[in-house]
Amino acid sequence: MEKQKLNRHDWIYGLTKDANQVVSENIEELLMTVRLLESENLAKVVENIFHAASVVIISRGLSVRIADSFARDLQFLDVKAVSLYQDNMQAYLEKLPRNTFVIGLSLSGETDLIVATAQKAKRDGKKVLAITGNYKSRLVEQSDLLLLAYQKNLSGKILVDYNNMLPLELIIHLLIQLYKQYKEYCAIV
């Protein structure tokens, strides 16, 4: 059997052109997300995680799975971390010390409960990070730091939020890896 030569849009041999287009679009989302990240912001986020008494990741909907995974990975690295998605997240945050680092994880950055919780946390003197795909969002307005995930325009037949979750997962994965490096070398920049 003769091997087919792949052109620049055929990432996986044997897939249809349309299927390879899906793969290509996902790779492009990841590359665009990496291009949006800034070394100084990443360093500030990692330092805040390292120096915080605790880390609280607030999320709703499809972001909950990513937030839970992030909290669990931080716990494995000896960080006091928790993922909150219940309606009482503001009351929970009130009980935590001022040097709690709050991370709002929201693709749209417009989820009312996350925005209100971030606003309350900031008013209480806590540092707030927004990880979102919307740099003009209300969550960004309430945050001290921002990590932006690339968000393509949804044009397919399935207009569901999970089409864009991969960039958020990439950012979380990078933060865990950079945190490990920071713990070992006390610097990433």
Side-chain angles (χ1 to χ4, degrees):
M1 182 167 104
E2 184 180 320
K3 282 193 174 181
Q4 180 182 359
K5 187 175 180 182
L6 299 178
N7 69 39
R8 64 186 203 112
H9 296 292
D10 289 340
W11 291 92
I12 300 176
Y13 175 75
L15 289 182
T16 66
K17 182 179 179 181
D18 289 341
N20 265 304
Q21 181 62 33
V22 170
V23 174
S24 181
E25 288 173 6
N26 277 278
I27 290 170
E28 184 65 22
E29 278 187 347
L30 295 176
L31 291 173
M32 293 299 291
T33 295
V34 170
R35 289 183 188 126
L36 290 172
L37 298 174
E38 298 174 0
S39 60
E40 290 181 18
N41 277 350
L42 287 167
K44 287 177 185 175
V45 169
V46 169
E47 289 169 7
N48 273 283
I49 292 170
F50 185 80
H51 294 292
S54 60
V55 175
V56 176
I57 305 148
I58 56 175
S59 64
R60 295 288 274 191
L62 295 171
S63 300
V64 168
R65 180 184 53 80
I66 298 168
D68 284 347
S69 176
F70 188 24
R72 188 177 52 256
D73 289 349
L74 287 172
Q75 291 166 4
F76 285 133
L77 295 170
D78 298 321
V79 175
K80 291 181 181 174
V82 66
S83 169
L84 297 179
Y85 45 85
Q86 303 88 349
D87 291 341
N88 66 344
M89 60 176 76
Q90 290 181 33
Y92 183 90
L93 274 176
E94 281 180 358
K95 300 173 187 171
L96 297 177
R98 188 175 184 173
N99 63 341
T100 296
F101 188 47
V102 178
I103 300 173
L105 185 61
S106 171
L107 190 61
S108 70
E110 295 295 336
T111 306
D112 290 334
L113 184 58
I114 295 173
V115 172
T117 303
Q119 183 178 34
K120 174 137 182 40
K122 192 169 180 180
R123 252 193 337 260
D124 292 346
K126 296 172 175 70
K127 283 264 191 182
V128 177
L129 163 66
I131 301 177
T132 183
N134 182 0
Y135 71 94
K136 294 180 180 181
S137 68
R138 294 182 297 144
L139 178 60
V140 170
E141 292 172 8
Q142 302 306 319
S143 300
D144 302 295
L145 297 166
L146 168 65
L147 293 177
L148 192 59
Y150 177 75
Q151 185 174 5
K152 70 178 180 180
N153 292 333
L154 297 177
S155 59
K157 293 179 182 175
I158 303 173
L159 299 177
V160 179
D161 198 27
Y162 60 77
N163 286 340
N164 296 92
M165 299 311 281
L166 193 55
L168 291 178
E169 292 184 69
L170 173 65
I171 290 173
I172 299 309
H173 179 77
L174 290 174
L175 286 175
I176 291 297
Q177 298 303 315
L178 292 171
Y179 184 80
K180 287 181 193 176
Q181 189 155 12
Y182 186 85
K183 273 185 74 171
E184 188 170 342
Y185 302 109
C186 293
I188 60 169
V189 290

